[in-house]
Amino acid sequence: MSAAIHIESLTGRALHDRLDDLAALRIAVFRDWPYLYDGDPDYERRYLATYAEAPGSVIVAAIEAATGRVVGAATGLPMCHEPETLAGPMRQAGYDIDRLFYFGESVLLAPWRGTGIGVGFFNAREAHARALGRMSHACFCGVVRPDDHPRRPAGFVPLDGFWRRRGYEPVAGAVGEISWRDLGEAGETAKPMQFWARAL
């Protein structure tokens, strides 16, 4: 990873001072395929503040050394704090929810992709989960879009290969659900989210 970037876990005052930056980052990155998220800054600030206050949670930021600008962020928390629309499918797949750590998202501005920051995000969250002392597995989920979706870019390469190199595999039958408003939609719709997991 470039020396121009440092990765740090944000907590307390440092986290609250960065909420606007983190909200803007999520909105910018999630507008792109495959999420197509039509984000709202006020919702994002509330989401991140609530997320940060959950016991055992972590928010990791990639910060540009020269400017102090946040160029990427990743979140994680024990799955027991997530709603049944996410926890339920993993419970049904045989996982102990009290020992499962959930990676909420990983967002990074395009110029910094492919520089090792994504690996750093996984390493930091896995280390945090292990330090909690009771987590046996880590998991995350990715949106499932149809191959013929009209907004799918030509030549799009999914992140499956990157995730597999990190040791994650899809969990058969474990599909959660998250609702948001797509670009051009009038309101929120539920999106299927395929889970991936690995032992810690």
Side-chain angles (χ1 to χ4, degrees), residues 178-196:
I178 300 177
S179 295
W180 68 82
R181 186 177 65 202
D182 273 4
L183 296 172
E185 286 188 347
E188 293 186 352
T189 55
K191 312 296 193 298
M193 307 293 290
Q194 171 64 54
F195 272 97
W196 294 61

Side-chain angles (χ1 to χ4, degrees), residues 158-188:
L159 290 172
D160 298 25
F162 171 75
W163 295 336
R164 290 182 191 278
R165 289 192 295 275
R166 295 295 315 154
Y168 291 83
E169 293 292 338
V171 180
V175 180
E177 186 177 281
I178 300 177
S179 295
W180 68 82
R181 186 177 65 202
D182 273 4
L183 296 172
E185 286 188 347
E188 293 186 352

Side-chain angles (χ1 to χ4, degrees), residues 56-115:
S57 68
V58 65
I59 296 181
V60 181
I63 300 174
E64 193 173 40
T67 65
R69 181 174 64 129
V70 176
V71 300
T75 65
L77 81 174
M79 180 62 98
C80 62
H81 300 307
E82 287 293 333
E84 189 64 16
T85 52
L86 292 179
M90 290 300 281
R91 183 184 295 108
Q92 293 166 14
Y95 288 85
D96 181 347
I97 298 304
D98 291 330
R99 302 188 66 205
L100 185 61
F101 196 82
Y102 173 64
F103 296 168
E105 61 262 306
S106 181
V107 292
L108 185 62
L109 294 177
W112 294 101
R113 294 171 193 166
T115 64

Side-chain angles (χ1 to χ4, degrees), residues 2-180:
S2 170
I5 292 290
H6 66 274
I7 291 180
E8 64 179 70
S9 295
L10 299 178
T11 58
R13 183 73 260 163
L15 171 59
H16 285 278
D17 287 346
R18 292 288 194 177
L19 286 182
D20 286 348
D21 293 341
L22 295 170
L25 179 67
R26 276 177 42 92
I27 289 171
V29 173
F30 281 145
R31 283 183 70 84
D32 292 338
W33 179 265
Y35 288 92
L36 305 175
Y37 170 54
D38 191 1
D40 172 76
D42 289 337
Y43 168 82
E44 290 297 319
R45 283 190 290 269
R46 292 194 303 271
Y47 165 79
L48 289 163
T50 300
Y51 206 101
E53 291 162 7
S57 68
V58 65
I59 296 181
V60 181
I63 300 174
E64 193 173 40
T67 65
R69 181 174 64 129
V70 176
V71 300
T75 65
L77 81 174
M79 180 62 98
C80 62
H81 300 307
E82 287 293 333
E84 189 64 16
T85 52
L86 292 179
M90 290 300 281
R91 183 184 295 108
Q92 293 166 14
Y95 288 85
D96 181 347
I97 298 304
D98 291 330
R99 302 188 66 205
L100 185 61
F101 196 82
Y102 173 64
F103 296 168
E105 61 262 306
S106 181
V107 292
L108 185 62
L109 294 177
W112 294 101
R113 294 171 193 166
T115 64
I117 294 172
V119 172
F121 283 162
F122 271 90
N123 289 343
R125 290 179 295 178
E126 288 166 3
H128 175 85
R130 292 186 185 103
L132 294 176
R134 66 183 188 276
M135 298 295 156
S136 64
H137 289 77
C139 70
F140 62 87
C141 56
V143 66
V144 179
R145 296 285 195 179
D147 290 341
D148 61 353
H149 192 287
R151 289 182 180 264
R152 184 184 180 93
F156 172 74
V157 178
L159 290 172
D160 298 25
F162 171 75
W163 295 336
R164 290 182 191 278
R165 289 192 295 275
R166 295 295 315 154
Y168 291 83
E169 293 292 338
V171 180
V175 180
E177 186 177 281
I178 300 177
S179 295
W180 68 82

